[in-house]
């Protein structure tokens, strides 16, 4: 038996404190998980915390990573590419119907990530009741930095989450403002799909999302996790 062409390599994130890499399986994202962002998107029920979490996905091979400045190609078919700074949870083991008080045991570590979004395509999809995939899951749409193992940094639940573009602050929030906390997200998501080692979960963005242009340099950080630098090319 042979493959008819070589199987694709998995995307992988560098792990802090050594030379190991974290192989990516799936990328899950939580929508509108900070009330101030839900409000700026006009989603009032979500902003008031009256709705359960909802999820969308990006293909695993949309992940782009690296230890230094990460280059991201400006994607086609948009005139409104948006940044969303997010805390990324990296799972080291899996499970289905995981209890909230067991959820943290699945976590390998955390990274700083960008959920890049073709906002114009997403807005049109919302208007027409179409799927979000082409607004969210395009090539290089899931930027992620170095993974900090939970064994080193613990489980950050509060602290600054911020993003600058060309040195100007655009997003500045706090992890404690998440509507659904990391353990709740894992427990809820694991009722819908079986989670596995290698899964990444983007946990939502605070207010201040906005457009990017080719040449822009982004600096982003999450307190207790680290920083990430990316350039749109
Ligand atoms: Mn997002």
């Amino acid at each position: 038996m042979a493959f008819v062409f070589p199987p694709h390599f998995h995307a992988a994130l560098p792990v802090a404190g050594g030379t190991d890499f974290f192989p990516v399986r799936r990328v899950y994202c939580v929508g509108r998980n900070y009330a101030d962002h839900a409000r700026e998107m006009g989603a009032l029920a979500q902003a008031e915390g009256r709705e359960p979490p909802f999820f969308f996905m990006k293909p695993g091979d949309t992940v782009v990573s690296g230890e230094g400045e990460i280059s991201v190609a400006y994607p086609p078919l948009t005139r409104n590419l948006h940044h969303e700074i997010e805390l990324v949870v990296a799972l080291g083991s899996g499970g289905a119907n995981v209890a909230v008080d067991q959820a943290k045991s699945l976590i390998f570590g955390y990274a700083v990530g960008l959920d890049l979004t073709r906002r114009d395509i997403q807005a049109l999809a919302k208007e027409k009741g179409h799927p979000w995939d082409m607004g969210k899951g395009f090539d290089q749409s899931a930027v992620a930095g170095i993974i900090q193992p939970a064994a080193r940094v613990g489980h950050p639940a509060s602290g600054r989450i911020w993003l600058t573009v060309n040195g100007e602050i655009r997003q500045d929030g706090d992890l404690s403002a998440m509507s659904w906390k990391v353990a709740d997200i894992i427990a809820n998501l694991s009722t819908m799909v079986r989670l596995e080692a290698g899964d990444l979960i983007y946990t939502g963005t605070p207010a201040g999302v906005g457009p990017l242009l080719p040449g822009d340099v982004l600096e982003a950080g999450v307190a207790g996790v680290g920083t990430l630098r990316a350039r749109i090319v």
Side-chain angles (χ1 to χ4, degrees), residues 30 56 84 86 115 136:
V30 186
F56 58 91
E84 297 188 359
E86 310 207 359
D115 164 16
K136 285 290 195 178

Side-chain angles (χ1 to χ4, degrees), residues 53-83:
F54 73 93
F55 299 93
F56 58 91
M57 297 182 69
K58 297 175 186 251
D61 66 357
T62 62
V63 172
V64 56
S65 185
E67 305 216 29
E69 183 177 277
I70 300 168
S71 285
V72 180
Y74 194 93
L77 295 178
T78 184
R79 291 180 170 188
N80 201 16
L81 176 68
H82 271 205
H83 53 78

Side-chain angles (χ1 to χ4, degrees), residues 89-149:
V89 178
L91 299 188
S93 61
N97 300 311
V98 177
V100 172
D101 63 1
Q102 293 297 308
K104 280 181 182 163
S105 68
L106 273 59
I107 298 172
F108 175 80
Y110 296 88
V112 178
L114 304 173
D115 164 16
L116 295 179
T117 303
R118 292 194 283 209
R119 193 71 74 198
D120 40 5
I121 293 179
Q122 185 201 26
L124 192 64
K126 285 183 186 173
E127 188 185 306
K128 291 180 174 280
H130 289 171
W132 287 11
D133 302 46
M134 293 301 122
K136 285 290 195 178
F138 51 92
D139 297 339
Q140 300 194 321
S141 59
V143 183
I146 298 168
I147 294 188
Q148 291 288 348

Side-chain angles (χ1 to χ4, degrees), residues 27-33 46 51-58 86 115 131-133 136 180-193 195 200-204:
V27 178
Y28 295 100
C29 305
V30 186
R32 301 175 200 139
N33 199 31
Q46 208 79 30
E51 292 188 359
F54 73 93
F55 299 93
F56 58 91
M57 297 182 69
K58 297 175 186 251
E86 310 207 359
D115 164 16
W132 287 11
D133 302 46
K136 285 290 195 178
W180 293 88
K181 311 303 180 193
V182 169
D184 299 316
I185 292 167
I186 290 171
N188 188 288
L189 183 56
S190 76
T191 66
M192 291 184 259
V193 288
L195 298 171
L200 298 179
I201 306 172
Y202 283 62
T203 57

Side-chain angles (χ1 to χ4, degrees), residues 87 109-112 146-150 152-162 175 221-227:
L87 172 69
Y110 296 88
V112 178
I146 298 168
I147 294 188
Q148 291 288 348
R152 283 166 60 110
V153 300
H155 297 277
S158 64
R160 196 172 172 222
I161 175 168
W162 57 272
L175 294 178
V222 175
V225 178
T227 60

